[in-house]
Amino acid sequence: RKILAGEQTSDEKFDSVSERFKINTYFTVLDQIIASFNNRFNGAREILKDLTLLSPKRIIECAENKLSKLPIDSFMYITQWIDGINHEQLISEYITFSKCFTELINSSTLPTNLHKCQPNEAVALSDEEIISTDEESIESHEKSVIDPETKNETTVLDVMQLLSNHDLHTAFPNLFLAYQGLCTLPASSSSAERCFSKVKIIKTRLRSTMNQSRLESLMFLSCERDIEIDIEQTIDTFALTSHLLKKSLMFG
């Protein structure tokens, strides 16, 4: 075959060190990384599409565009993943929540200044000026319902705290379950791998006859050390399991 311009034969060596590194090392590693990403995330691509709808930025976009309906297959994979979620109710709750989301976020924190002017800066205004000022403030409030900073600063955890702190999980039960599932997703597999390492430490050769329930309890205590536990309440709960323990551990 005739060699074209710029083409080299397979046995021809490259004089440039950078070219040899690029072909023999850089492109090889890059291909392996891309293949690894494709193998890892191809199976989760569909559910990730559903999870992106739960981002605050997407919710605000739905409110800005005044969407009255979502695609028919929205949240389909989330309903298959999390038990207890009704598909149609989740879509309805999402649309309703998106309409009042920005107002809820903005009202959760007080503004820096409650009044436009301080007492020492106040001036006498006529009735017409007061009325016009009030009308302008109402119009500006209606136009600025969607705060630009809210779109960039609000996170999924903020939405979860909003639903929890204001008891909105009773009004949006399916949406609350979806956010619970989203917030429990680990960012990496290191936490799961750390748990497997704990198993080797807890279940040793001398503890080979340990049953499953005891192993799960010890694993929970070892892996979740950052959870604060009220020792007194734990003792009281444990003491109430039997009359003998209650007599021994509880006084008065």
Side-chain angles (χ1 to χ4, degrees):
R1 187 173 67 88
K2 185 178 179 181
I3 299 176
L4 301 177
E7 190 177 9
Q8 295 176 337
T9 58
S10 58
D11 57 349
E12 186 174 352
K13 296 182 179 180
F14 295 98
D15 296 331
S16 175
V17 178
S18 61
E19 288 293 330
R20 287 203 305 269
F21 173 79
K22 185 185 296 184
I23 294 173
N24 298 330
T25 305
Y26 177 75
F27 286 144
T28 304
V29 174
L30 187 62
D31 289 340
Q32 292 179 356
I33 293 174
I34 294 174
S36 177
F37 273 108
N38 290 333
N39 293 333
R40 177 170 295 186
F41 295 107
N42 268 344
R45 181 173 296 177
E46 299 302 326
I47 194 171
L48 289 175
K49 291 180 181 179
D50 286 347
L51 293 177
T52 54
L53 292 174
L54 298 177
S55 66
K57 184 177 180 181
R58 187 70 65 185
I59 294 177
I60 295 174
E61 288 177 356
C62 292
E64 289 176 343
N65 298 327
K66 297 181 180 180
L67 295 179
S68 58
K69 61 180 181 179
L70 294 176
I72 301 175
D73 57 348
S74 299
F75 303 119
M76 183 177 295
Y77 285 86
I78 290 182
T79 54
Q80 296 176 1
W81 171 44
I82 303 176
D83 295 332
I85 293 182
N86 185 282
H87 183 233
E88 296 180 357
Q89 292 180 4
L90 177 58
I91 294 177
S92 177
E93 291 176 9
Y94 180 85
I95 295 173
T96 305
F97 183 71
S98 64
K99 294 178 181 178
C100 59
F101 170 71
T102 310
E103 188 174 353
L104 289 171
I105 288 292
N106 292 337
S107 62
S108 61
T109 56
L110 292 174
T112 306
N113 295 322
L114 186 62
H115 303 284
K116 286 188 174 181
C117 58
Q118 301 300 324
N120 55 356
E121 299 176 355
V123 294
L125 298 176
S126 62
D127 294 339
E128 295 180 356
E129 291 175 338
I130 293 174
I131 294 173
S132 62
T133 304
D134 292 338
E135 291 176 351
E136 290 176 359
S137 62
I138 293 172
E139 291 178 359
S140 62
H141 175 71
E142 292 176 349
K143 292 180 180 179
S144 62
V145 170
I146 298 178
D147 187 4
E149 296 182 356
T150 302
K151 185 182 295 186
N152 299 325
E153 296 179 359
T154 308
T155 62
V156 174
L157 290 177
D158 294 332
V159 180
M160 186 65 188
Q161 291 176 357
L162 178 67
L163 293 171
S164 301
N165 297 339
H166 298 280
D167 293 331
L168 294 177
H169 58 276
T170 56
F172 306 100
N174 295 278
L175 189 64
F176 182 73
L177 288 176
Y179 273 104
Q180 271 189 330
L182 177 59
C183 292
T184 54
L185 287 176
S188 64
S189 60
S190 59
S191 57
E193 293 172 358
R194 197 178 298 118
C195 292
F196 284 112
S197 300
K198 293 286 185 181
V199 174
K200 297 179 181 179
I201 299 174
I202 294 173
K203 192 168 184 178
T204 59
R205 182 173 58 86
L206 299 176
R207 292 178 174 177
S208 58
T209 58
M210 183 188 306
N211 58 21
Q212 186 66 24
S213 61
R214 181 176 177 82
L215 177 61
E216 290 177 358
S217 300
L218 293 176
M219 285 286 296
F220 184 79
L221 291 173
S222 180
C223 297
E224 305 294 342
R225 290 184 177 180
D226 55 336
I227 299 178
E228 296 182 0
I229 299 176
D230 189 350
I231 299 177
E232 295 297 331
Q233 184 179 1
T234 304
I235 294 174
D236 293 341
T237 305
F238 180 67
L240 293 174
T241 56
S242 72
H243 180 70
L244 182 61
L245 290 174
K246 182 178 180 181
K247 191 175 181 179
S248 302
L249 298 176
M250 299 184 71
F251 303 97

